[in-house]
């Protein structure tokens, strides 16, 4: 597999046609032209800029609120303000709803693209037609993770690429089913290109060659397929917020039920935590405390 | 950047010397010999096998318990049993404490290596001496993530590689500080090599060439530096478990304090959640519910 950053992508302005910009850069690029099976990973930032998703920096907090559909966790930040982990409009869970204050024009912040999967599909469609080669498109963004310091680039948009290598039905070398193993190729692709993009700044597009076996039709699921529904997630709510909601439910259970068993009331009060995303785990209590 | 899997690594047996095995494979490998700045990413599985970290499959649950230092979240699994997210001996948070039941000999499961960072350092030291080139070593494992389906390979051991590109003190193109941006290069490297390793199974070692700028001394921090301390993490405890602990604390606050204000009691009872990892966020309540 070879991975290289596409050079000569100019500063993107609102209204720019990214496909034309990338095609022009490809013509000027010293590397060979794109081939069947190549995958282009595009930093979401330039897609946002082309879409004119720029707002005044003073409106950053308001912009974050507008992009937020659900607060997952928050904690006061050293030096004031609060770090907010939220689920944004696209269903992506991350800090500040993806509102980006770095590498934007002074006094402005950048919102995530309107529809990264849709844009990826359009870009793939037009570039496949223009170049006559079957390429895949990934739109990448930088996300932090629980439990691990630092950030990695992941896929927030995809088209013409298998975002997962689905092992369902397959077996390991010893014949055991590998159903639970489902590597997220799209996220690994985004991270891989981040390594070359940051070698020289200002290279928001990178090419991955040698993985033609994971490139396919434009009807393949996009990056939205990577997003796990909150109700299926063990960490749909931050620890502090979940504890607070549990605390309130516990107090209510005693007061409301005149001191009846916490466990029973806990089950009954499951919905009273105040967040639709919270389905407190009374039925999981035994497992959790074992 | 070019990434390729090293071919001809035989099935590893307990007691095998991984360095000798890899050096032999390198000699047989059609690709050029290693150069200064190359990074070798080794799947933790073969390190575990070489260390003889194999236990009988019937003892899997017991092995998981032994490897576990803290239960982070758990939920009943469809078809019986429970999915456990735990912090293991190494401080890594993941499913089943990294105890692996796939691609092992029938009737056996594999534990994580004893000391991935230490092993990475030893391997890097010996290979640098044997080949006379400054290479980096990453030990990779496959981890799931909250909020996103599927798994990616990440670094659980590292030597001679900058695990982070630390932007602290640096500024973006507009001169604003990028202190919060700290890309985890080691995890992105592990994920990148997973893409080539799985093209042909049985290739547990891959080479990354072209990132010599992130290869350095063997005194660089290892992958342990990637692990975020629980007390600094927003998701140190699963939602259900945190809610349960909050519920119990809420009940206790009313009974104990004879029904005094939940908020006040909540603050006072912060420690009563029952888990050292829980420092319930009474002081964060306003932010969290805003």
């Amino acid at each position: 597999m070879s991975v290289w950053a596409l050079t000569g992508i100019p500063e993107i302005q609102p209204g720019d046609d990214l496909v034309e910009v990338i095609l022009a850069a490809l013509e000027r690029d010293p590397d060979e032209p794109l081939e069947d099976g190549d995958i282009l990973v595009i930093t979401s930032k330039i897609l946002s800029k082309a879409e004119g998703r720029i707002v005044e920096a003073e409106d950053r907090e308001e912009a974050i609120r507008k992009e937020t559909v659900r607060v997952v966790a928050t904690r006061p930040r050293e030096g004031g303000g609060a770090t907010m982990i939220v689920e944004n409009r696209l269903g992506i869970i991350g800090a500040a709803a993806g509102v980006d204050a770095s590498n934007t024009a002074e006094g402005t912040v950048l919102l995530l693209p309107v529809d990264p999967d849709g844009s990826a599909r359009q870009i793939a469609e037009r570039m496949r037609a223009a170049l006559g080669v079957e390429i895949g498109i990934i739109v990448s963004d930088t996300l932090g993770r629980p439990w691990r310091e630092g950030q990695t680039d992941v896929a927030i948009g995809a088209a013409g690429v298998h975002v997962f290598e689905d092992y369902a039905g397959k077996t390991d070398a010893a014949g055991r089913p590998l159903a639970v193993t489902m590597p997220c190729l799209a996220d690994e692709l985004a991270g891989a290109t981040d390594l070359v993009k940051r070698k020289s700044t200002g290279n928001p597009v990178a090419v991955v060659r040698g993985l033609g076996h994971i490139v396919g039709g434009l009807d393949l699921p996009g990056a939205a397929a990577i997003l796990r529904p909150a109700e299926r997630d063990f960490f749909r709510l931050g620890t502090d917020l979940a504890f607070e909601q549990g605390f309130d439910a516990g107090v209510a259970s005693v007061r409301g039920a005149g001191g009846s068993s916490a466990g029973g009331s806990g089950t009954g009060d499951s919905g009273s935590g105040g967040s639709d995303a919270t389905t407190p785990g009374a039925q999981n209590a035994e497992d959790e405390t074992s």
Side-chain angles (χ1 to χ4, degrees), chain A:
Chain A
M1 170 176 90
S2 56
V3 186
W4 67 90
L6 202 54
T7 56
I9 301 274
E11 183 67 28
I12 301 300
Q13 306 299 333
D16 284 351
D17 183 331
L18 269 194
V19 171
E20 284 175 12
V21 169
I22 293 170
L23 288 173
L26 280 166
E27 277 176 21
R28 288 190 306 270
D29 196 276
D31 297 289
E32 333 72 284
L34 294 189
E35 302 172 356
D36 280 332
D38 285 349
I39 299 165
L40 233 58
V41 181
I42 302 169
T43 304
S44 63
K45 193 164 305 208
I46 64 169
L47 183 53
S48 295
K49 286 180 177 173
E51 293 177 353
R53 303 272 293 156
I54 300 165
V55 300
E56 295 304 311
E58 306 79 60
D59 308 332
R60 180 162 190 269
E61 296 308 319
E62 187 197 349
I64 293 175
R65 272 192 302 276
K66 281 184 183 168
E67 292 281 292
T68 296
V69 298
R70 183 171 70 88
V71 174
V72 175
T74 171
R75 185 181 280 184
R77 202 188 294 110
E78 295 158 18
T83 300
M84 299 246 291
I85 309 296
V86 303
E87 177 177 337
N88 69 20
R89 182 176 50 77
L90 296 166
I92 300 164
I93 294 179
V99 175
D100 184 358
S102 67
N103 289 298
T104 58
E106 192 59 49
T108 67
V109 295
L110 206 55
L111 311 184
L112 286 177
V114 175
D115 174 17
D117 275 333
S119 299
R121 209 170 305 110
Q122 285 172 29
I123 293 168
E125 212 156 28
R126 289 180 57 197
M127 289 193 65
R128 286 181 175 197
L131 299 170
V133 292
E134 188 182 61
I135 61 165
I137 298 289
I138 299 272
V139 176
S140 68
D141 194 34
T142 304
L143 278 184
R145 340 41 90 74
W147 316 322
R148 301 178 73 78
E149 302 285 3
Q151 305 86 29
T152 59
D153 273 17
V154 299
I156 66 167
V161 179
H162 290 267
V163 294
F164 294 114
E165 177 163 347
D166 195 339
Y167 272 73
K170 302 183 187 176
T171 58
D172 65 19
R176 278 177 298 254
L178 281 171
V180 293
T181 309
M182 195 171 74
C184 187
L185 307 175
D187 283 351
E188 291 182 329
L189 278 164
T193 54
D194 184 50
L195 291 165
V196 303
K197 286 174 182 173
R198 58 183 59 262
K199 274 183 71 175
S200 44
T201 56
N203 287 336
V205 181
V207 183
V208 178
R209 175 164 297 168
L211 299 180
H213 62 290
I214 65 171
V215 173
L218 297 182
D219 55 347
L220 286 169
I226 301 171
L227 304 174
R228 178 178 297 148
E231 60 274 17
R232 287 190 38 218
D233 201 279
F234 287 26
F235 301 91
R236 61 199 174 278
L237 214 55
T239 304
D240 293 343
L241 182 46
F243 186 96
E244 280 300 313
Q245 297 191 355
F247 190 97
D248 296 345
V251 169
S253 74
V254 178
R255 300 222 167 113
S260 76
S261 107
S265 306
T267 316
D269 291 358
S270 286
S272 75
S275 160
D276 298 347
T278 316
T279 53
Q283 103 255 19
N284 298 353
E286 282 156 39
D287 310 85
E288 281 169 338
T289 49
S290 69

